[in-house]
């Protein structure tokens, strides 16, 4: 099906959907030196940047050159950040701090930036005296005002005496200076007990700057949490829609500015990270009430059309991996039902389970390997699905369409997989019937889920991509120990569960010692009777993954299952899981084909909703042992 | 100098020095499936393993086969771990738990292991009732006793009701059952407020098992800290010598068993990780009082001989990187003073600063690159240094010695660098004088430190290696944000500061987007007058690294330095740092040569003791800009 692929992550992406709100990104969000960061922000369509002092200090460009360079690519510098440990100090320190500030005002004048971020002091010498803090900040604001500069005061969650937004607001209100206002950072607000409710009471115009970051809920020191684990909006657990709503309700009209400290993003390709950042902002804005965003000439994001299932999964194969996959599919009861009209592409089917084997994929691939090169989802409106994806900066893939062939819209996911949008089963008309039919004996009914290992740098990006582009919801998030290191998994789904995607990544990027399958991918098919299916697969000569006896001995101890059930599970190498509501999963796997791909058969009982992550370590070890025993 | 290199990390290392204490390692310490782990533990010379249930569950070997396999390679199975959520439950749950335990006793009988670890319950349903816990544990001990099994009860630091060792001891004492004792885990003891002082009061014989783990002091949730950040003894901040001393004082004679959950070790080559683990135990035992360890036929570790300086640093060069380094050395005032008697190896000198350029290193190297292939330290007893290194499982390097050439003992460090031990300057006799002499104008006096980037998987291993093998002390540990990601650094030194090693590694393993120099290495030379040196380097036509003007503007604001001093620093591209005691560092860098190596010149004032880590991000950005501007 797919035959041309966009080069993901290179080239200028389409302009993002606009709402009229200004979008900014702190230079700390992405990796590189200042030239990399400016290029990345501009390339992703940001309007401005927050310039982090350290990025300026290490650049060979003068501040005036930085200003010109930003202007050249259409960026303003919206904030100079941060100035630290200023307020509530003894008189001698105040003099030194004001002198220090004047140096920074000089730099800001050259940069052409009019707002300076002052973080609440973390110095052990800071004095716990709001009146002193207000007085000294007013002095600073006086100096700033004379230079046409505004001071945005921000409560760090780990500030020495001022660590909550409401405390910082009391100080700013007390100082009552036109050049002194607040900087609100969603992390510092939402990581603390003081909720955002009172934001409505902030005097209109006194929020000078709004910084946005999401984060997972972690039980750890707030400073470490903030410095290592922030995420772009929509990737974590904070309710940023509510937060931004409250801030906009005060009349705030400044930029929505991302300030995300994240260990992975700090190492990753800045051009891609900036696109991820922009996607997060567009998605966040889309979640706001239309009345809250300026409506001048805006292009709202089209709503995600409802999805109703996995249409097909496509594997790229070659002369070596192709035969292995064909044999595997036959062993699972599939038949080769169709041959593409114009390409070396085969359709394999069993009920509504469809697999496409593509020998013409142009993507470079190690000889003998196979990969999930594409998957197609059934959508109520393929065109709208594609327009939404494009507005969310998904690279839209060009496609060569032959006569009488359907026009499947496709975009590239962060791991390079093509995602097709199809309405109904029109796409099947591209295949000429071979006359083969599947017998139905194996009883597979439909594709249950796809399991796709993600590139380390793009795990959170991929999650946001699928949520925002496809309109999926997060289903599960897990972290577990596997034989070759810790793993993360996160699954996404539709409300009716007809589409499920399970993403995985190693918790630490793999090193040289990695005997496991690198970046495995799999397609899971559903059955209503896994024992019937397993028995049919046996008769068909299909191969399933051997599971150690020790696993079953442990099952007996863990779940107190009836002995005869465990014996039946053991006989067919069926794994078992039970959720906290009593839902059960029975599932089995095939060996790995083409070095990377495999199939799974699942039977869900009683509303089991996950993807069997608890058994992933067993599967990984079994795959390795199988490889060792056959090599 | 070095011409043959051991293959680091492969092959069976020498047997470690023995003290008569049994050494064990939990299978959770290292990566892989059970076969990898058993081979690793045996290869590193362990006497036994703790078998983690998950490792057994996923292995295709039966328990009897696991037992036989361990016996084949000389390992006993010392503990089966863990059994969870057993005690202080309602009666119905007790029946189920006892049934579960019987299943595990069956497995243990097959395995031939006589001690089961029972962790304090974390179940929300556990009842806070010591008497009930004691009673139920006694019941379990009864069942165990009948099977010849002992129960070792351990307080998890995050146990539901029992989270401190003294609490677990009160329960064990109350149960008063011969088959019920304690498992003490240094992490669970030392991570909590309840200190280890009271361990002396534990009834002799009631500590059934001792688990050892070190950890850095982190401000985070104790469960996450324990599961991700444990380290081998000597790599963290816990006083394990004192802890083990207290446990041995109760008459404990069981194994010293490592139980280390660490995200990196779980991914790294298990054979190497096990050697690292063994080195940590040998070092720990060496720190115990001789009276505390059984003395039957033991071979104590020879004491580390005093070191008195860096003798030389050796660079591997080729036809392209060699000329670049020669020019760089001349520019710094070095002269080519000696030519090796039998090899294409040059000696370059300036006062006591010695650099060796070796064109004959056999290690595979990308054409055009250079690397620090070896360094030599002056020791009071080279033979003893080598014997100690060997007893600590350092691979001893074979060496081809020509006529009239000195016999430098050498071992391989974890990053593959050769470490030579030399007494005085005997090794210089290997070089025939060229007649060239250095002028002395540049004023470099001695090698101040080496900066060596470490392979990601081996950062903590390297630190322990240098501390234990060379007898160095930890000087600094830093974590900082650099342009291409977060970095870790750790420096080690001698009491008199004549030897300093600064190790660095990225906090996350580098990915594809890594435009910085990968694994940079540098040699820093000391001067008593950096302005005089910089001026001389100018006259000699030497090249130093340009530092951005913005850096100096920031210096003025940060340190309130006199303008004329800042102007002089700026003129020569000299960086500045000041420590909290007022000590100052003035330092400058050269460009990168051979893709990887550079030199630094440092002037220490007023007892500055670090290695200028604060300026590392400036240096890294400057190196990148220089490369961009010259490419």
């Amino acid at each position: 099906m797919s035959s041309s692929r966009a080069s993901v992550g290179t080239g200028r992406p389409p302009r993002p959907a606009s709402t009229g709100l200004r979008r900014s990104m702190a230079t700390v969000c992405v990796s590189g030196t200042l030239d990399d960061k400016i290029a990345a922000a501009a390339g992703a369509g940001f309007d401005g940047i927050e310039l982090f002092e350290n990025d300026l200090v290490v650049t060979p460009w003068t501040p005036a050159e930085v200003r010109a360079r930003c202007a050249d690519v259409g960026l303003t510098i919206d904030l100079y950040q941060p100035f630290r440990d200023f307020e509530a100090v003894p008189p001698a320190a105040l003099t030194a701090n004001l002198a220090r500030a004047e140096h920074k005002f000089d730099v800001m004048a050259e940069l052409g930036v009019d707002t300076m971020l002052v973080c609440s002091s973390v110095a052990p010498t800071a004095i716990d005296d709001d009146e002193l803090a207000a007085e000294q900040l007013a002095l600073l604001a006086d100096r700033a005002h004379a230079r046409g500069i505004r001071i945005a005061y921000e409560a760090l969650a780990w500030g020495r005496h001022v660590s909550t937004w409401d405390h910082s607001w009391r100080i700013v209100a007390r100082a009552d200076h036109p050049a002194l206002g607040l900087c609100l950072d969603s992390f510092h607000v939402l990581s603390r007990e003081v909720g955002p409710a009172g934001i409505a009471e902030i005097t209109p115009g006194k929020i000078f700057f709004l910084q946005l970051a999401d984060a997972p809920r972690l039980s750890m020191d707030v400073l470490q949490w903030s410095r290592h684990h922030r995420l772009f909006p929509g990737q974590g657990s904070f309710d940023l829609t509510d937060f931004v709503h409250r801030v906009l309700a005060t009349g705030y009209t400044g930029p929505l500015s991302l300030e995300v400290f994240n260990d992975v993003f700090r190492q990753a390709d800045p051009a891609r990270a900036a696109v991820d950042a922009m996607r997060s902002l567009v998605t966040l804005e889309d979640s706001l009430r239309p009345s809250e965003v300026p409506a001048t000439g805006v292009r709202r994001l089209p709503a995600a059309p409802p999805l109703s299932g996995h249409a097909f999964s496509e594997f790229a194969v070659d002369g070596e991996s192709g035969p292995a996959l064909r044999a595997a599919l036959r062993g699972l009861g599939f038949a080769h039902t169709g041959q593409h009209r114009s390409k070396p592409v085969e359709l394999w089917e069993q009920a509504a389970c469809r697999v496409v084997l593509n020998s013409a994929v142009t993507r470079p691939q190690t000889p003998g390997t196979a990969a999930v090169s594409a998957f197609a989802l059934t959508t109520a409106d393929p065109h709208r699905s594609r327009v939404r994806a494009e507005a969310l900066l998904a690279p839209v893939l060009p496609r060569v369409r032959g006569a009488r062939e359907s026009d499947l819209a496709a975009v590239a996911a962060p791991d390079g997989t093509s995602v097709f949008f199809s309405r109904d089963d029109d796409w099947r008309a591209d295949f000429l019937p071979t006359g083969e039919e599947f017998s139905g004996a194996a009883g597979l009914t439909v594709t249950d889920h796809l399991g796709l290992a993600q590139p380390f740098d793009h795990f959170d990006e991929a999650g946001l991509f699928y949520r925002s582009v496809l309109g999926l919801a997060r289903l599960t998030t897990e972290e577990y120990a596997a034989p070759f290191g810790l793993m993360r998994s996160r699954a996404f789904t539709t409300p009716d569960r007809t589409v499920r995607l399970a993403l995985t990544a190693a918790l630490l990027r793999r090193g040289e010692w990695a005997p496991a399958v690198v970046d495995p991918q799999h397609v899971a098919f559903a059955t209503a009777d896994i024992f019937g299916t397993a028995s049919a697969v046996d008769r068909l000569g299909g191969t399933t993954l051997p599971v150690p006896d020790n696993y079953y001995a442990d099952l007996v101890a863990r779940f107190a299952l009836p002995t005869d059930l465990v014996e039946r599970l053991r006989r067919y190498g069926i794994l078992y899981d039970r959720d906290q509501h009593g839902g059960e999963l029975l599932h089995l796997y095939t060996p790995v084909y083409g070095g990377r791909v495999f199939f799974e058969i699942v039977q869900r009982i009683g509303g089991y909703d996950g993807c069997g992550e608890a058994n992933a370590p067993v599967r990984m070890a079994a795959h390795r042992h199988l490889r060792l025993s056959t090599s």
Side-chain angles (χ1 to χ4, degrees), chain A residues 52-385:
Chain A
F52 193 57
E53 181 173 63
N54 292 11
D55 284 309
L56 180 68
V57 164
V58 305
T59 184
W61 298 336
T62 65
E65 286 167 347
V66 171
R67 175 188 198 161
R69 171 75 183 140
C70 286
D72 282 350
V73 294
L75 293 172
T76 53
I77 306 178
D78 296 330
L79 187 76
Y80 183 76
Q81 67 138 319
F83 192 70
R84 295 185 183 281
D85 297 337
F86 173 80
E87 82 285 14
V89 293
L94 176 66
T95 309
N97 284 352
L98 286 171
R100 189 158 59 94
E102 292 287 355
H103 281 294
K104 297 303 172 190
F105 292 159
D106 293 342
V107 171
M108 290 172 66
E110 276 194 77
L111 287 168
V113 51
D114 67 1
T115 308
M116 180 161 91
L117 177 68
V118 174
C119 295
S120 63
S121 180
V122 299
T125 52
I127 300 163
D128 187 8
D129 180 343
D130 287 4
E131 192 169 337
L132 185 65
E135 189 183 295
Q136 295 184 344
L137 284 167
L139 264 178
L140 179 67
D142 262 348
R143 303 279 189 105
H145 199 53
R147 312 277 297 251
I149 287 171
R150 306 192 308 168
I151 302 296
Y153 181 58
E154 173 183 49
L156 296 179
W158 54 90
R160 177 83 177 163
H161 302 297
V162 180
S163 62
T164 58
W165 75 264
D166 60 322
H167 194 173
S168 63
W169 168 232
R170 287 197 299 275
I171 290 171
V172 166
R174 183 192 285 253
D176 191 23
H177 192 291
L180 180 68
L182 280 182
C183 172
L184 290 187
D185 176 317
S186 63
F187 181 89
H188 293 301
V189 175
L190 300 176
S191 64
R192 300 304 306 263
E193 304 73 35
V194 181
I199 287 174
E201 286 150 42
I202 295 173
T203 307
K206 290 306 272 184
I207 300 177
F208 282 5
F209 210 79
L210 177 61
Q211 294 179 320
L212 298 175
D214 202 344
R217 284 276 164 207
L218 296 173
S219 171
M220 70 190 303
D221 176 64
V222 69
L223 188 149
Q224 297 299 323
W225 183 18
S226 172
R227 290 212 179 145
H228 297 280
H229 300 286
R230 289 186 178 208
L231 291 166
F232 293 124
Q235 296 176 336
S237 302
F238 288 168
D239 185 350
L240 291 176
T241 300
D242 174 73
F243 177 76
V244 172
H245 159 70
R246 290 174 192 277
V247 173
L248 293 181
T250 71
Y252 177 77
T253 57
L256 304 188
S257 188
L258 298 168
E259 192 197 31
V260 171
F261 304 88
N262 177 288
D263 291 1
V264 177
F265 303 159
R266 285 184 110 135
Q267 276 202 352
D269 178 345
R272 291 201 46 171
V275 167
D276 186 25
M278 176 55 77
R279 185 176 296 130
S280 80
L281 265 189
V282 173
T283 307
L284 175 62
E285 290 169 20
D286 188 52
S287 71
L288 299 172
R289 292 174 215 153
S291 64
E292 285 169 358
V293 293
T296 47
V298 304
R299 180 160 60 100
R300 297 276 309 180
L301 205 55
L307 301 176
S308 57
H310 294 268
F312 65 83
S313 309
E314 177 190 281
F315 291 82
V317 295
D318 66 7
E320 192 179 330
S321 60
L325 274 171
R326 285 184 198 101
L329 288 168
R330 280 214 192 283
L332 297 177
F334 280 76
H336 175 194
T337 55
Q339 188 67 33
H340 195 273
R341 291 174 182 275
S342 63
K343 298 172 195 160
V345 176
E346 304 167 8
L347 173 61
W348 289 70
E349 294 184 290
Q350 174 172 185
C353 307
R354 278 83 178 245
V355 171
V356 165
L357 299 185
N358 188 339
S359 302
V361 174
T362 54
R363 197 177 189 191
Q365 199 171 328
T366 310
T369 62
V372 174
S373 47
F375 62 89
L377 301 173
T378 306
T379 156
D381 186 342
H383 174 73
R384 186 146 57 92
S385 287

